[in-house]
Amino acid sequence: MTLDIAKIQTTLLAAADAAAAVTLPLFRTDLGIDNKLAAGFDPVTEADRSAETAIRAIIAQAFPDHAIIGEEWGSSGESEFTWIIDPVDGTRAFITGAPVWGTLIGFAHNGVAIAGLMSQPFIGETFLATPGGATYRHNGQTQPLRASGLTELASARVFTTTPSLFNSPELLAKWQALEAATRLQRFGLDCYGYALLAAGHADIVIEPFLNTYDIAALVPIIRQAGGAIACWDGSEPTGGGNVVAAATPELLEKALALVNAN
């Protein structure tokens, strides 16, 4: 089957607009918060649920035969083509007023994400990738996305959401080895960190325990910007897992070697 790349891009952008119409009026308001976990804290809000509903409606209208996986409403349909949605990636940021959350929409063919979008509507930024290129959109302007090109660990700028994700001695040793080998570390950026890597402002992002909806949209954005991304065992990351992204394939190889040596 021949893919209509223009229609996929149009659908990604329309779905992001539909989500923003839901999320923006709720951002920085006194929003009710539910907790998904009996032990711990995994917040979800009406913004998450309603935004995913809006995204699903756009996709279903454009591609009724495609499958959909969403964080809030689960899986529907069976197809070699799958749309993968995280309506508000970074709900903790959302409920604390920090504009580093984003709407993630990925498009996968046979389990590999080939198109994706990260929208941060409060700032007005969109990071978009389809086969053949990745772009950054802001204030009506569009420009190519390009990772930094860095190949050496010693100069790398590293993001992770929080070191507390590395919640065992084995995992912590991996984080500490990467921290010691690199120049600068920053935390709390969720999906925005991966977008900044694609834009050349960071060099490595590493996180364990990702679900497919956390990462699928970001995979093609990073790859089309010249970066590289894989699970720690070198496998395809679209389905989630322990993931590291880097500005170049060379830097990814070095980061993986370090992580797997500790």
Side-chain angles (χ1 to χ4, degrees):
M1 181 183 295
T2 301
L3 290 175
D4 187 340
I5 300 302
K7 187 177 180 183
I8 291 167
Q9 177 171 306
T10 298
T11 303
L12 285 166
L13 292 168
D17 287 344
V22 174
T23 56
L24 282 179
L26 296 173
F27 185 50
R28 295 183 178 171
T29 66
D30 188 15
L31 188 63
I33 302 165
D34 297 324
N35 184 12
K36 296 181 184 179
L37 296 181
F41 183 58
D42 186 11
V44 63
T45 73
E46 182 57 33
D48 301 77
R49 300 186 184 103
S50 296
E52 184 171 321
T53 297
I55 293 167
R56 282 175 174 266
I58 296 292
I59 294 169
Q61 183 177 27
F63 296 98
D65 297 332
H66 289 187
I68 300 176
I69 299 172
E71 179 174 14
E72 307 307 331
W73 301 122
S75 300
S76 61
E78 292 187 9
S79 172
E80 63 184 300
F81 303 107
T82 305
W83 297 79
I84 305 165
I85 306 163
D86 192 341
V88 179
D89 182 83
T91 300
R92 289 172 176 81
F94 189 94
I95 65 177
T96 53
V100 293
W101 54 277
T103 293
L104 297 178
I105 310 169
F107 175 77
H109 181 220
N110 290 330
V112 177
I114 60 171
L117 171 146
M118 194 291 272
S119 167
Q120 210 314 302
F122 186 77
I123 299 173
E125 293 181 318
T126 301
F127 301 78
L128 174 69
T130 57
T135 56
Y136 170 74
R137 299 173 179 226
H138 183 58
N139 287 339
Q141 302 294 314
T142 299
Q143 62 190 61
L145 272 177
R146 182 53 51 187
S148 70
L150 188 73
T151 60
E152 298 302 324
L153 284 170
S155 300
R157 302 157 292 179
V158 181
F159 292 164
T160 192
T161 294
T162 171
S164 68
L165 292 173
F166 299 83
N167 59 4
S168 70
E170 179 185 3
L171 289 174
L172 184 60
K174 295 177 185 299
W175 164 252
Q176 289 176 335
L178 188 61
E179 182 179 36
T182 54
R183 174 173 291 176
L184 181 151
Q185 301 79 37
R186 299 296 294 169
F187 311 119
L189 293 170
D190 298 292
C191 61
Y192 199 64
Y194 295 89
L196 290 177
L197 187 151
H201 305 300
D203 307 299
I204 296 173
V205 184
I206 183 168
E207 293 182 309
F209 310 126
L210 296 182
N211 292 295
T212 184
Y213 45 75
D214 296 318
I215 195 64
L218 299 162
V219 169
I221 295 173
I222 289 166
R223 287 176 173 162
Q224 291 293 342
I229 183 168
C231 291
W232 296 357
D233 62 2
S235 62
E236 171 59 39
T238 294
N242 301 329
V243 173
V244 61
T248 57
E250 295 88 346
L251 187 61
L252 177 64
E253 184 178 349
K254 292 172 183 177
L256 288 173
L258 185 62
V259 165
N260 287 311
N262 288 273

